[in-house]
Amino acid sequence: MRVLVTDPITDVGLDVLRDAGHEVETGYELEGDDLLEAVSDANAMIVRSGTEVTEEVLTAAEDLVIVGRAGIGVDNIDIEAATDQGVIVANAPEGNVRAAAEHTVAMTFATARSIPEAHIRLKNGEWAKSDYLGTELNGKTMGVVGLGRVGQEVAKKLDALGMEVAAYDPYISEERAERIGAELVGLEESLERADFLTVHTPLTPETEGLIGEEELDTLGDGYLINCARGGVVDEEALATKVGDGTLAGAALDVFAEEPLSPDSSLLEYDEVIVTPHLGASTEAAQENVATSTADQVNAALAGEPVANALNAPSIDESAFPRLEPYIEIAETAGKVAAQLLDGRIENIEVVYEGEIADESIEFVTASALKGIFEPLKWQVNAVNAPQIADERGVDVTESKTRQSEDFQSLLSVTVSDDNGNEISVDGTLFADNDPRIVRVDGYRVDAIPHGNMVVTRNADEPGVIGFIGRVMGEYDVNIAGMFNARETIGGTALTVYNVDSPMPDEAKEDLEADERIIEINDITLNGQ
């Protein structure tokens, strides 16, 4: 597989990719048509903040499986377009958390004690001791906007320094905030109470300009620190408020436009401390994000779940060995159900029974949707399957129960149309994680979910199975296994055949010409 790396990452990350057998190409100056050409045959792409992964780039990359962001922020990646194309977008949120949090605390101290200004003046020969009266952090209130991974780490460090933490985050619970030493409040209250305000939100349409002139007035004579994403704070308003004395000072590591222009009004005031996006610039952080991103690219290219996928269900690394067999079962059950239903799929239900109900099964459900939609010739994978269901108006429900009558764990996929017709296919694991289809439309079977299958409904009469076998033999279709079930003696029987090759249309026509054959379906599954 070919991996295109368009922003620099450490060699240790590149080595992880090469050790997995991938061809790694670096192109740190690529842009425009050159970027489109380079990505056209790439299977994976790794970027930092320098490369804009636009809809045009994603459209040009027909073979792209994943875009890995070596860092946290993904505002340079069009995630909606990636999802439309079935491309995974994954970041490395843990790798630089500690580095970013430490830089935030360092910037807080720097602005509270005027460290850069005093340093410069002393280097210039001035002993300006009496010009700087610092502010202690102990006993002060830090307003934290955004309690994500970095925000939480900052809150914990500042709480340990004796600060009160008043945090705003509409997506976190009060209990979680309390566990890290923060009090959860509204944005306005956080601003009103804060002596210092630190911002830790991603840049989205909702957060762009979140801290503007009105919010800075509410902050009053406090200090603002932003080591998250440029654009969340209105930089012109910030410079004005520092310049007219409304704010005591500010410290910024990120900017709306980077590099920061030499003409920026932020550079006019000594009370505004600036650093050139150094939050993740430690040796440990760079190695962590590089290896984390490379590991996720390797997983995606191997067809495994990606731990930090932003637009696809993910599975914890420790849970993957337990769930991996069910991923294939779910996809297979979906394929079989979709091909057996003679009608437009309107509803999908995925039910988990027994021990599997204790697991996080979002990726398994997405795999079931992938299996259902593939026979319909839709361009689908586990990334865009939930979105495709939503766009096509297919109602998807998911349920769990710890009770299972016959099996330790059971997965059931049911598809139905608007006329009330429905088909259910159930799967489970036997000993040694041996996957099996154990029910089809209520008929108990024992079928191996692999390769080619033929599913027949026929009259439960002597000679029918022999007739089917004879026709298959005439067309050189070898039967590897057969599993027969019936409703009642003399009623309708359902048989699942594992065969070594697809059944020719002529064979199906010969079978269907016999009045004892009610229905016959030729199904191709995973592994072929």
Side-chain angles (χ1 to χ4, degrees), residues 6 10 20 51 53 70 84 150 161 171 173 182 188 217 250 260 274 295 353 411 442 492 499 505:
T6 59
T10 61
T51 302
V53 185
D84 288 342
V150 177
L161 290 171
Y171 304 107
S173 68
E188 185 173 0
D217 282 335
L260 182 65
V274 291
D295 286 342
E353 299 179 7
L411 178 153
T492 300
V499 296
D505 290 339

PDB file of all heavy atoms in Angstrom, residues 6 10 20 51 53 70 84 150 161 171 173 182 188 217 250 260 274 295 353 411 442 492 499 505:
ATOM      1  N   THR A   6       2.388  14.396   3.711  1.00  0.00           N
ATOM      2  CA  THR A   6       2.549  15.730   3.136  1.00  0.00           C
ATOM      3  C   THR A   6       2.979  16.792   4.138  1.00  0.00           C
ATOM      4  O   THR A   6       3.210  17.930   3.747  1.00  0.00           O
ATOM      5  CB  THR A   6       1.238  16.182   2.459  1.00  0.00           C
ATOM      6  OG1 THR A   6       0.196  16.196   3.431  1.00  0.00           O
ATOM      7  CG2 THR A   6       0.867  15.249   1.324  1.00  0.00           C
ATOM      8  N   THR A  10       8.004  12.629  12.625  1.00  0.00           N
ATOM      9  CA  THR A  10       9.300  12.073  12.986  1.00  0.00           C
ATOM     10  C   THR A  10       9.555  10.758  12.272  1.00  0.00           C
ATOM     11  O   THR A  10       8.631  10.038  11.883  1.00  0.00           O
ATOM     12  CB  THR A  10       9.398  11.847  14.502  1.00  0.00           C
ATOM     13  OG1 THR A  10       8.398  10.913  14.900  1.00  0.00           O
ATOM     14  CG2 THR A  10       9.190  13.151  15.252  1.00  0.00           C
ATOM     15  N   ALA A  20       5.559  -2.165   8.356  1.00  0.00           N
ATOM     16  CA  ALA A  20       4.321  -2.883   8.024  1.00  0.00           C
ATOM     17  C   ALA A  20       4.258  -3.253   6.544  1.00  0.00           C
ATOM     18  O   ALA A  20       3.273  -3.845   6.092  1.00  0.00           O
ATOM     19  CB  ALA A  20       3.111  -2.031   8.402  1.00  0.00           C
ATOM     20  N   THR A  51      -1.403  20.965   5.463  1.00  0.00           N
ATOM     21  CA  THR A  51      -2.056  20.515   4.231  1.00  0.00           C
ATOM     22  C   THR A  51      -3.565  20.640   4.353  1.00  0.00           C
ATOM     23  O   THR A  51      -4.157  20.144   5.307  1.00  0.00           O
ATOM     24  CB  THR A  51      -1.689  19.050   3.927  1.00  0.00           C
ATOM     25  OG1 THR A  51      -0.279  18.931   3.807  1.00  0.00           O
ATOM     26  CG2 THR A  51      -2.358  18.590   2.638  1.00  0.00           C
ATOM     27  N   VAL A  53      -6.886  19.315   3.257  1.00  0.00           N
ATOM     28  CA  VAL A  53      -7.479  18.133   2.621  1.00  0.00           C
ATOM     29  C   VAL A  53      -8.912  18.484   2.258  1.00  0.00           C
ATOM     30  O   VAL A  53      -9.852  18.297   3.029  1.00  0.00           O
ATOM     31  CB  VAL A  53      -7.418  16.908   3.549  1.00  0.00           C
ATOM     32  CG1 VAL A  53      -7.919  15.668   2.816  1.00  0.00           C
ATOM     33  CG2 VAL A  53      -5.999  16.683   4.054  1.00  0.00           C
ATOM     34  N   ALA A  70      -1.683  13.897  12.237  1.00  0.00           N
ATOM     35  CA  ALA A  70      -0.681  13.743  13.291  1.00  0.00           C
ATOM     36  C   ALA A  70      -0.815  14.903  14.275  1.00  0.00           C
ATOM     37  O   ALA A  70      -0.023  15.847  14.285  1.00  0.00           O
ATOM     38  CB  ALA A  70       0.720  13.677  12.698  1.00  0.00           C
ATOM     39  N   ASP A  84     -18.427  11.142   2.774  1.00  0.00           N
ATOM     40  CA  ASP A  84     -19.114  10.856   1.514  1.00  0.00           C
ATOM     41  C   ASP A  84     -18.306   9.895   0.642  1.00  0.00           C
ATOM     42  O   ASP A  84     -18.865   9.038  -0.057  1.00  0.00           O
ATOM     43  CB  ASP A  84     -19.366  12.147   0.741  1.00  0.00           C
ATOM     44  CG  ASP A  84     -20.452  13.008   1.380  1.00  0.00           C
ATOM     45  OD1 ASP A  84     -21.231  12.472   2.186  1.00  0.00           O
ATOM     46  OD2 ASP A  84     -20.493  14.221   1.097  1.00  0.00           O
ATOM     47  N   VAL A 150      -7.180  17.990  26.381  1.00  0.00           N
ATOM     48  CA  VAL A 150      -6.217  18.997  26.829  1.00  0.00           C
ATOM     49  C   VAL A 150      -6.831  19.859  27.927  1.00  0.00           C
ATOM     50  O   VAL A 150      -6.187  20.155  28.936  1.00  0.00           O
ATOM     51  CB  VAL A 150      -5.742  19.866  25.650  1.00  0.00           C
ATOM     52  CG1 VAL A 150      -4.792  20.953  26.146  1.00  0.00           C
ATOM     53  CG2 VAL A 150      -5.050  19.015  24.596  1.00  0.00           C
ATOM     54  N   LEU A 161      -2.434  23.604  41.489  1.00  0.00           N
ATOM     55  CA  LEU A 161      -1.704  24.837  41.813  1.00  0.00           C
ATOM     56  C   LEU A 161      -2.495  25.749  42.748  1.00  0.00           C
ATOM     57  O   LEU A 161      -2.030  26.838  43.079  1.00  0.00           O
ATOM     58  CB  LEU A 161      -1.372  25.597  40.523  1.00  0.00           C
ATOM     59  CG  LEU A 161      -0.325  24.960  39.608  1.00  0.00           C
ATOM     60  CD1 LEU A 161      -0.264  25.694  38.274  1.00  0.00           C
ATOM     61  CD2 LEU A 161       1.045  24.956  40.273  1.00  0.00           C
ATOM     62  N   TYR A 171     -20.852  19.634  26.486  1.00  0.00           N
ATOM     63  CA  TYR A 171     -20.883  18.213  26.129  1.00  0.00           C
ATOM     64  C   TYR A 171     -20.291  17.307  27.207  1.00  0.00           C
ATOM     65  O   TYR A 171     -20.059  16.130  26.965  1.00  0.00           O
ATOM     66  CB  TYR A 171     -20.129  17.988  24.813  1.00  0.00           C
ATOM     67  CG  TYR A 171     -20.656  18.835  23.688  1.00  0.00           C
ATOM     68  CD1 TYR A 171     -19.937  19.921  23.221  1.00  0.00           C
ATOM     69  CD2 TYR A 171     -21.897  18.566  23.107  1.00  0.00           C
ATOM     70  CE1 TYR A 171     -20.420  20.717  22.195  1.00  0.00           C
ATOM     71  CE2 TYR A 171     -22.390  19.349  22.081  1.00  0.00           C
ATOM     72  CZ  TYR A 171     -21.644  20.422  21.636  1.00  0.00           C
ATOM     73  OH  TYR A 171     -22.127  21.209  20.614  1.00  0.00           O
ATOM     74  N   SER A 173     -20.362  16.000  31.451  1.00  0.00           N
ATOM     75  CA  SER A 173     -21.238  15.930  32.618  1.00  0.00           C
ATOM     76  C   SER A 173     -20.622  16.657  33.808  1.00  0.00           C
ATOM     77  O   SER A 173     -19.393  16.819  33.896  1.00  0.00           O
ATOM     78  CB  SER A 173     -21.492  14.468  32.998  1.00  0.00           C
ATOM     79  OG  SER A 173     -20.299  13.863  33.477  1.00  0.00           O
ATOM     80  N   ALA A 182     -12.967  20.608  38.559  1.00  0.00           N
ATOM     81  CA  ALA A 182     -13.577  21.769  37.908  1.00  0.00           C
ATOM     82  C   ALA A 182     -15.052  21.871  38.256  1.00  0.00           C
ATOM     83  O   ALA A 182     -15.725  20.863  38.479  1.00  0.00           O
ATOM     84  CB  ALA A 182     -13.414  21.672  36.392  1.00  0.00           C
ATOM     85  N   GLU A 188     -20.979  32.526  30.159  1.00  0.00           N
ATOM     86  CA  GLU A 188     -20.953  33.880  30.722  1.00  0.00           C
ATOM     87  C   GLU A 188     -20.446  33.868  32.156  1.00  0.00           C
ATOM     88  O   GLU A 188     -19.632  34.715  32.548  1.00  0.00           O
ATOM     89  CB  GLU A 188     -22.345  34.506  30.660  1.00  0.00           C
ATOM     90  CG  GLU A 188     -22.361  35.961  31.127  1.00  0.00           C
ATOM     91  CD  GLU A 188     -23.706  36.632  30.903  1.00  0.00           C
ATOM     92  OE1 GLU A 188     -24.616  35.964  30.393  1.00  0.00           O
ATOM     93  OE2 GLU A 188     -23.832  37.830  31.238  1.00  0.00           O
ATOM     94  N   ASP A 217     -15.069  41.809  27.059  1.00  0.00           N
ATOM     95  CA  ASP A 217     -15.539  42.818  28.025  1.00  0.00           C
ATOM     96  C   ASP A 217     -15.989  42.147  29.318  1.00  0.00           C
ATOM     97  O   ASP A 217     -15.747  42.659  30.414  1.00  0.00           O
ATOM     98  CB  ASP A 217     -16.691  43.627  27.428  1.00  0.00           C
ATOM     99  CG  ASP A 217     -16.212  44.688  26.442  1.00  0.00           C
ATOM    100  OD1 ASP A 217     -15.046  45.123  26.560  1.00  0.00           O
ATOM    101  OD2 ASP A 217     -16.990  45.059  25.548  1.00  0.00           O
ATOM    102  N   ALA A 250      -2.498  38.856  27.535  1.00  0.00           N
ATOM    103  CA  ALA A 250      -2.898  37.659  26.795  1.00  0.00           C
ATOM    104  C   ALA A 250      -1.662  36.878  26.392  1.00  0.00           C
ATOM    105  O   ALA A 250      -0.551  37.440  26.310  1.00  0.00           O
ATOM    106  CB  ALA A 250      -3.715  38.034  25.564  1.00  0.00           C
ATOM    107  N   LEU A 260       1.852  33.990  11.640  1.00  0.00           N
ATOM    108  CA  LEU A 260       1.273  35.272  12.003  1.00  0.00           C
ATOM    109  C   LEU A 260       1.934  36.384  11.204  1.00  0.00           C
ATOM    110  O   LEU A 260       3.171  36.445  11.095  1.00  0.00           O
ATOM    111  CB  LEU A 260       1.463  35.510  13.501  1.00  0.00           C
ATOM    112  CG  LEU A 260       0.860  36.793  14.074  1.00  0.00           C
ATOM    113  CD1 LEU A 260      -0.652  36.765  13.969  1.00  0.00           C
ATOM    114  CD2 LEU A 260       1.298  36.995  15.521  1.00  0.00           C
ATOM    115  N   VAL A 274       3.359  35.948  22.498  1.00  0.00           N
ATOM    116  CA  VAL A 274       3.056  35.076  21.355  1.00  0.00           C
ATOM    117  C   VAL A 274       4.183  34.061  21.170  1.00  0.00           C
ATOM    118  O   VAL A 274       5.361  34.372  21.355  1.00  0.00           O
ATOM    119  CB  VAL A 274       2.866  35.890  20.056  1.00  0.00           C
ATOM    120  CG1 VAL A 274       1.601  36.723  20.115  1.00  0.00           C
ATOM    121  CG2 VAL A 274       4.066  36.793  19.790  1.00  0.00           C
ATOM    122  N   ASP A 295       0.167   3.915  13.474  1.00  0.00           N
ATOM    123  CA  ASP A 295      -0.549   2.713  13.911  1.00  0.00           C
ATOM    124  C   ASP A 295      -1.976   2.689  13.373  1.00  0.00           C
ATOM    125  O   ASP A 295      -2.497   1.641  12.968  1.00  0.00           O
ATOM    126  CB  ASP A 295      -0.586   2.650  15.436  1.00  0.00           C
ATOM    127  CG  ASP A 295       0.760   2.261  16.043  1.00  0.00           C
ATOM    128  OD1 ASP A 295       1.607   1.715  15.309  1.00  0.00           O
ATOM    129  OD2 ASP A 295       0.960   2.524  17.245  1.00  0.00           O
ATOM    130  N   GLU A 353     -27.570 -10.435  21.539  1.00  0.00           N
ATOM    131  CA  GLU A 353     -28.032 -11.199  22.691  1.00  0.00           C
ATOM    132  C   GLU A 353     -26.856 -11.875  23.385  1.00  0.00           C
ATOM    133  O   GLU A 353     -25.902 -12.312  22.729  1.00  0.00           O
ATOM    134  CB  GLU A 353     -29.044 -12.269  22.262  1.00  0.00           C
ATOM    135  CG  GLU A 353     -30.306 -11.720  21.620  1.00  0.00           C
ATOM    136  CD  GLU A 353     -31.263 -12.828  21.204  1.00  0.00           C
ATOM    137  OE1 GLU A 353     -30.997 -14.007  21.538  1.00  0.00           O
ATOM    138  OE2 GLU A 353     -32.257 -12.530  20.529  1.00  0.00           O
ATOM    139  N   LEU A 411     -26.024 -12.711  17.286  1.00  0.00           N
ATOM    140  CA  LEU A 411     -26.229 -11.475  16.539  1.00  0.00           C
ATOM    141  C   LEU A 411     -27.306 -11.737  15.501  1.00  0.00           C
ATOM    142  O   LEU A 411     -27.236 -12.729  14.770  1.00  0.00           O
ATOM    143  CB  LEU A 411     -24.921 -11.054  15.880  1.00  0.00           C
ATOM    144  CG  LEU A 411     -24.873  -9.815  14.996  1.00  0.00           C
ATOM    145  CD1 LEU A 411     -23.455  -9.244  15.018  1.00  0.00           C
ATOM    146  CD2 LEU A 411     -25.252 -10.133  13.542  1.00  0.00           C
ATOM    147  N   GLY A 442     -35.824 -17.711  10.444  1.00  0.00           N
ATOM    148  CA  GLY A 442     -36.436 -18.568  11.448  1.00  0.00           C
ATOM    149  C   GLY A 442     -36.105 -20.034  11.313  1.00  0.00           C
ATOM    150  O   GLY A 442     -36.389 -20.826  12.225  1.00  0.00           O
ATOM    151  N   THR A 492     -42.609 -26.484   4.006  1.00  0.00           N
ATOM    152  CA  THR A 492     -41.547 -25.813   3.247  1.00  0.00           C
ATOM    153  C   THR A 492     -40.211 -26.054   3.939  1.00  0.00           C
ATOM    154  O   THR A 492     -40.113 -25.957   5.172  1.00  0.00           O
ATOM    155  CB  THR A 492     -41.809 -24.304   3.146  1.00  0.00           C
ATOM    156  OG1 THR A 492     -43.057 -24.089   2.474  1.00  0.00           O
ATOM    157  CG2 THR A 492     -40.698 -23.610   2.376  1.00  0.00           C
ATOM    158  N   VAL A 499     -20.903 -23.813  -1.515  1.00  0.00           N
ATOM    159  CA  VAL A 499     -20.423 -24.338  -2.792  1.00  0.00           C
ATOM    160  C   VAL A 499     -19.074 -23.715  -3.130  1.00  0.00           C
ATOM    161  O   VAL A 499     -18.713 -22.656  -2.617  1.00  0.00           O
ATOM    162  CB  VAL A 499     -21.446 -24.084  -3.924  1.00  0.00           C
ATOM    163  CG1 VAL A 499     -22.734 -24.847  -3.661  1.00  0.00           C
ATOM    164  CG2 VAL A 499     -21.745 -22.593  -4.066  1.00  0.00           C
ATOM    165  N   ASP A 505     -26.311 -18.933 -14.110  1.00  0.00           N
ATOM    166  CA  ASP A 505     -27.720 -18.572 -14.285  1.00  0.00           C
ATOM    167  C   ASP A 505     -28.512 -19.713 -14.909  1.00  0.00           C
ATOM    168  O   ASP A 505     -29.696 -19.919 -14.582  1.00  0.00           O
ATOM    169  CB  ASP A 505     -27.829 -17.329 -15.174  1.00  0.00           C
ATOM    170  CG  ASP A 505     -27.317 -16.073 -14.473  1.00  0.00           C
ATOM    171  OD1 ASP A 505     -27.255 -16.080 -13.219  1.00  0.00           O
ATOM    172  OD2 ASP A 505     -26.978 -15.104 -15.178  1.00  0.00           O
TER     173      ASP A 505
END
